Amino acid sequence: MRVFTGALATETNTFGPMPTGLASFKDRGYFPAGQHPAALNLFAAPLWVARQVSQARGWTLIEGMVAAAQPSGTVTRHAYETLRDELLADLRAALPLDMVLLGLHGAMVAEGYPDCEGDLLERVRAIVGPAVVVGAELDPHVNLSRTMVEMADVLVAFKEYPHTDIVERAHELIALCEAKAAGRLFPTHAVADCHLIVPFHTTRDPAKALVQRIQSLEGRDGVLSISIAHGFAHGDVPDMGTKVLVYTDGNQAQAGALALQIAGEVIAMRDELAVRYPAVDPALDEALTFDGGPVVLADRADNPGSGAPGDSTFILRRMVERGIGNAAIGPIWDPVAVRIAFDAGVGARLMLRIGGKIGPLSGDPLDLDCRVKALKHDLVMTGLAGAPTPVGDGALVEAQGVEIVLITLRNQAMDTDVFTQLGCDLASRKLIVVKSAQHFHASFSKIAKKVIYVGAPGAATPHTATLPYTRIRRPIWPLDDIATPSLF
């Protein structure tokens, strides 16, 4: 069997202040055809797993381009078309094929392309024809479109948030696609639109129980795969929203009925799925009055993983103004401050202007009397599924009892080692502020005695109803009152 694999992925915050150009992909991870390293890369899990499976099966595996960018603002037309066309050229060169396996996100938006994944899959299908099996692994924050599901034979989204099951879902995708290619299974899909947008923190019920339930249904009575497409609230596109994607073995009616049933369950639990976001000062008060620590505060609105810059100062400013010490915060994206810290050297004491550089939703920069405690070139954080995640040069500075991690490559806090590699002793801190929405939870929950999600200002605000949507389909909850799912 001849199998082609490649990846093109990012998550687009259409309200974000920074465009996503080619440099953003080069920073996060760009590998021309055949040059992907041995280590796992987040959106190249189908390629990484296919390497193992192909050796066992005796397949001929052709590896195309892999490119992924840190979530940010709208992708430039030049960047998307350049990378798309490179991947499609790799695909043409690999013909003839039996199977195509892609690593995508599902919420990429480019200038002139509100549905990049739909556009890409449609072009892939035109090249390989109807007989070749086309499958893709998706992030659950996908804005699932009709084009995407119609152009692919199988789409599988991660089930967990934090995304700890990336490798498992790639195995699932490849197994289903192989069975389809061999004629053992005939995946038939249905999609139910929940007409809402809510977070699914699978670290707690009811989302945790929902994932367990849908996994108990898979592989039984003809049910092949179930994916909950959470949707990405910061993507102002027509397909934004929560949907349920079900594949059955050739039974369309069964797929439709099950999709509608699960969508109804999601709608019923929408209020329980919602996350509490106290404002900055109430969140700090709650953390300080908690008996013990560390208390982790998640700065969701400045989460680089949702397209925010990662340089906001709203929480740090209030900590400094209130004299709150025995704390750590990071990683803050500030290449200028890092450069100055490196020039000054470990042990130096100097005034540093930190954060607040991108725009109003980053807050004002803070001028702090800092001591440089640690410096490290080419800092690599442990990312999702253990994937190595570069964050560039890192500096640990301390100001008024607050240790601040500064980095040069924008990324969210996913593992405690983004702090500990610089010598920050998290276990002894009362407060730890992380620039992250939820991916921090898998690692930081091991040391946290309490977690608080903070409703600070920022480019990735959790207050969905305040976003100035102009292109999404209405009605949608929480902007509108919705109680009934529908198939599309």
Side-chain angles (χ1 to χ4, degrees):
M1 184 180 292
R2 288 178 58 83
V3 179
F4 176 86
T5 183
L8 178 56
T10 191
E11 181 180 62
T12 301
N13 181 336
T14 58
F15 306 107
M18 300 180 296
T20 304
L22 279 174
S24 299
F25 288 89
K26 299 293 177 67
D27 286 345
R28 175 75 176 268
Y30 164 75
F31 307 99
Q35 296 185 33
H36 191 277
L40 174 66
N41 179 277
L42 176 58
F43 288 105
L47 179 151
W48 192 76
V49 172
R51 284 176 174 173
Q52 305 165 35
V53 175
S54 65
Q55 290 180 354
R57 303 284 199 277
W59 296 348
T60 298
L61 184 66
I62 304 98
E63 298 183 3
M65 180 206 76
V66 170
Q70 183 69 24
S72 194
T74 302
V75 180
T76 65
R77 180 186 291 270
H78 173 67
Y80 172 62
E81 291 182 346
T82 298
L83 295 170
R84 177 200 66 191
D85 292 349
E86 180 178 346
L87 183 59
L88 294 176
D90 295 341
L91 178 65
R92 290 189 188 93
L95 296 175
L97 293 165
D98 300 289
M99 193 156 64
V100 175
L101 303 169
L102 298 174
L104 306 176
H105 183 285
M108 183 191 295
V109 181
E111 296 168 339
Y113 297 93
D115 177 17
C116 290
E117 287 82 1
D119 173 70
L120 175 62
L121 287 167
E122 190 168 32
R123 292 170 188 269
V124 167
R125 180 59 73 192
I127 290 169
V128 302
V132 174
V133 176
V134 176
E137 185 177 30
L138 303 171
D139 189 291
H141 297 110
V142 49
N143 295 319
L144 193 66
S145 71
R146 180 176 281 105
T147 302
M148 291 167 62
V149 294
E150 289 180 350
M151 292 299 108
D153 292 285
V154 180
L155 299 173
V156 173
F158 318 147
K159 286 182 169 61
E160 301 290 350
Y161 183 38
H163 305 328
T164 55
D165 61 333
I166 294 165
V167 171
E168 290 84 352
R169 299 289 76 75
H171 276 287
E172 177 186 334
L173 171 74
I174 292 171
L176 290 172
C177 287
E178 180 187 19
K180 162 72 173 174
R184 297 193 302 271
L185 293 176
F186 300 92
T188 300
H189 73 264
V191 179
D193 192 341
C194 301
H195 301 287
L196 54 80
I197 177 68
V198 292
F200 285 77
H201 287 185
T202 61
T203 52
R204 62 178 177 89
D205 287 335
K208 182 177 182 179
L210 177 65
V211 168
Q212 293 171 344
R213 171 167 145 66
I214 64 176
Q215 287 185 307
S216 72
L217 296 174
E218 293 174 321
R220 299 172 50 194
D221 303 321
V223 178
L224 303 179
S225 174
I226 305 170
S227 293
I228 307 293
H230 304 181
F232 184 52
H234 293 84
D236 187 14
V237 293
D239 292 303
M240 190 276 286
T242 302
K243 302 180 180 73
V244 178
L245 171 62
V246 173
Y247 288 96
T248 57
D249 190 7
N251 191 329
Q252 179 67 53
Q254 181 191 23
L258 184 56
L260 283 172
Q261 177 186 330
I262 296 172
E265 294 173 13
V266 170
I267 292 172
M269 64 178 65
R270 62 190 183 185
D271 290 316
E272 297 174 84
L273 289 168
V275 178
R276 185 178 67 92
Y277 290 103
V280 174
D281 277 302
L284 290 172
D285 292 340
E286 183 179 341
L288 291 172
T289 56
F290 179 76
D291 184 16
V295 178
V296 172
L297 297 97
D299 188 1
R300 192 263 178 272
D302 195 36
N303 170 36
S306 298
D311 75 333
S312 83
T313 57
F314 297 106
I315 297 178
L316 178 58
R317 176 175 293 280
R318 289 303 295 146
M319 292 168 67
V320 170
E321 291 172 346
R322 294 177 55 170
I324 297 173
N326 191 22
I329 185 170
I332 293 177
W333 179 52
D334 196 331
V336 174
V338 173
R339 170 61 186 271
I340 294 172
F342 267 86
D343 285 347
V346 174
R349 185 161 185 167
L350 73 165
M351 293 298 296
L352 269 181
R353 174 162 286 192
I354 291 175
K357 293 180 170 61
I358 298 304
L361 291 177
S362 294
D364 294 326
L366 277 174
D367 294 306
L368 299 175
D369 183 0
C370 296
R371 180 165 65 93
V372 180
K373 299 192 71 174
L375 300 167
K376 186 177 179 63
H377 283 296
D378 301 320
L379 182 63
V380 178
M381 173 177 60
T382 302
L384 299 173
T389 305
V391 293
D393 293 340
L396 181 70
V397 303
E398 183 177 7
Q400 295 184 211
V402 180
E403 290 191 330
I404 307 165
V405 172
L406 305 169
I407 58 173
T408 59
L409 280 182
R410 193 170 58 92
N411 217 315
Q412 65 179 297
M414 289 189 280
D415 196 279
T416 55
D417 62 6
V418 75
F419 288 87
T420 58
Q421 288 183 74
L422 292 166
C424 180
D425 181 11
L426 292 177
S428 66
R429 296 290 173 263
K430 172 65 177 180
L431 274 65
I432 304 168
V433 181
V434 293
K435 300 287 185 174
S436 180
Q438 174 68 352
H439 286 323
F440 73 91
H441 200 282
S443 178
F444 285 81
S445 63
K446 297 173 184 176
I447 62 168
K449 298 299 185 292
K450 182 180 180 65
V451 173
I452 302 171
Y453 297 88
V454 187
T461 175
H463 303 302
T464 305
T466 67
L467 294 172
Y469 295 113
T470 60
R471 293 183 288 178
I472 63 172
R473 290 193 182 100
R474 304 284 292 268
I476 189 169
W477 189 88
L479 280 67
D480 310 289
D481 188 25
I482 291 296
T484 306
S486 62
L487 293 175
F488 85 91

